[in-house]
């Protein structure tokens, strides 16, 4: 099996005051939104299972028109109790799929893994390990700070102003707001949902 070069060698953080979780053993839920990813969905899910053997995995089919839904159904049969599969009747976007999965997530930590293999699950492991520090509440992967494939760098240039704005508004230290990789404590989501019911 070929491996991909790490696209997320460094990460940036966002600091949100919250009560740290005392237990060093945090349960993890990984959300995998997928829309027409029949070419990669099996590999992504299998790699997530291999790298995170105790994690809860929730895959969300975003109304795919290819074989993604069928492949996820087969994977769920192979991994009973490990893989939950949710389906949207139509494509409502990645954000809607993540919010739907959050209502079923049981982990202390929530991570998001895209299904297109632009980024590889091994990179996600590096972000999750940062939560061994109880003061960490949310961590974003960063393509800007890493040796990200140069063919994608030009896509990042127009969005470099957005992180600066977010850092000013939210007292954060972000360099890549549009990143795939986001890992956060479920307590953060619960606080957001209580203040913003439509979140």
């Amino acid at each position: 099996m070929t491996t991909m070069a790490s696209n997320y060698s460094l990460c940036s953080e966002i600091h949100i005051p919250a009560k740290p979780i005392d237990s060093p053993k945090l349960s993890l839920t990984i959300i995998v939104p997928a829309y027409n990813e029949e070419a990669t969905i099996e590999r992504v899910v299998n790699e997530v299972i291999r790298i995170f053997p105790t994690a809860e995995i929730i895959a969300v089919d975003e109304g795919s028109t290819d074989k993604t839904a069928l492949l996820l159904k087969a994977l769920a049969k192979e991994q009973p109790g490990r893989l939950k599969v949710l389906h949207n009747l139509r494509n409502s976007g990645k954000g809607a799929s993540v919010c739907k999965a959050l209502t079923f997530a049981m982990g202390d930590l929530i991570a998001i893994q895209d299904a297109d293999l632009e980024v590889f699950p091994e990179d996600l492991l590096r972000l999750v390990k940062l939560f061994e520090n109880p003061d960490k509440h949310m961590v974003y992967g960063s393509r800007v700070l890493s040796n990200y494939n140069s063919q994608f760098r030009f896509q990042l240039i127009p969005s470099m102003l957005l992180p600066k704005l977010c850092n000013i508004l939210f007292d954060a230290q972000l360099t890549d707001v549009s990143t795939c990789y986001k890992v956060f404590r479920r307590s953060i989501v619960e606080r957001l949902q209580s203040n913003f019911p439509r979140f």
Side-chain angles (χ1 to χ4, degrees):
M1 177 181 292
T2 59
T3 58
M4 297 179 63
S6 174
N7 291 334
Y8 287 83
S9 62
L10 294 173
C11 55
S12 49
E13 304 168 18
I14 184 167
H15 301 283
I16 301 176
K19 183 179 179 181
I21 297 176
D22 296 328
S23 172
K25 293 292 287 184
L26 299 172
S27 57
L28 173 66
T29 296
I30 301 176
I31 298 172
V32 185
Y35 177 67
N36 288 348
E37 302 291 357
E38 65 179 11
T40 55
I41 188 62
E42 289 179 298
R43 183 178 176 191
V44 167
V45 170
N46 285 328
E47 282 298 291
V48 168
I49 290 171
R50 180 183 68 81
I51 295 168
F52 301 95
T54 62
E56 172 190 51
I57 303 164
I58 303 177
V60 185
D61 168 47
E62 303 176 1
S64 297
T65 57
D66 64 0
K67 296 180 181 178
T68 298
L70 292 175
L71 293 171
L72 284 174
K73 184 178 180 179
L75 286 167
K77 286 184 177 180
E78 295 173 6
Q79 300 290 336
R82 283 292 317 280
L83 172 64
K84 297 177 183 176
V85 177
L86 307 178
H87 298 278
N88 292 331
L89 295 178
R90 59 185 179 85
N91 183 7
S92 300
K94 178 180 175 180
S97 293
V98 170
C99 287
K100 182 173 184 176
L102 286 173
T103 64
F104 294 87
M106 301 298 294
D108 298 315
L109 298 179
I110 309 293
I112 301 172
Q113 167 69 52
D114 281 357
D116 58 7
L117 275 184
E118 180 184 338
V119 290
F120 208 61
E122 288 178 354
D123 293 321
L124 183 58
L125 179 61
R126 305 179 67 182
L127 274 67
V128 170
K129 285 183 175 179
L130 291 173
F131 286 86
E132 293 174 0
N133 180 342
D135 293 329
K136 293 290 185 290
H137 301 295
M138 182 178 291
V139 178
Y140 278 26
S142 177
R143 296 163 293 181
V144 175
L145 297 177
S146 72
N147 296 319
Y148 196 68
N149 192 325
S150 59
Q151 68 176 311
F152 296 107
R153 281 195 174 275
F154 74 93
Q155 299 177 9
L156 299 176
I157 294 174
S159 61
M160 285 183 177
L161 291 177
L162 184 57
K164 293 182 183 298
L165 179 60
C166 289
N167 291 340
I168 292 170
L169 292 175
F170 302 108
D171 189 26
Q173 300 175 28
L174 299 173
T175 58
D176 187 4
V177 175
S178 301
T179 178
C180 153
Y181 279 147
K182 301 175 180 71
V183 186
F184 44 88
R185 295 186 188 270
R186 187 157 60 108
S187 58
I188 296 297
V189 178
E190 291 170 349
R191 289 175 61 194
L192 286 171
Q193 289 175 329
S194 64
N195 292 318
F196 305 99
R198 295 184 63 184
F199 174 78

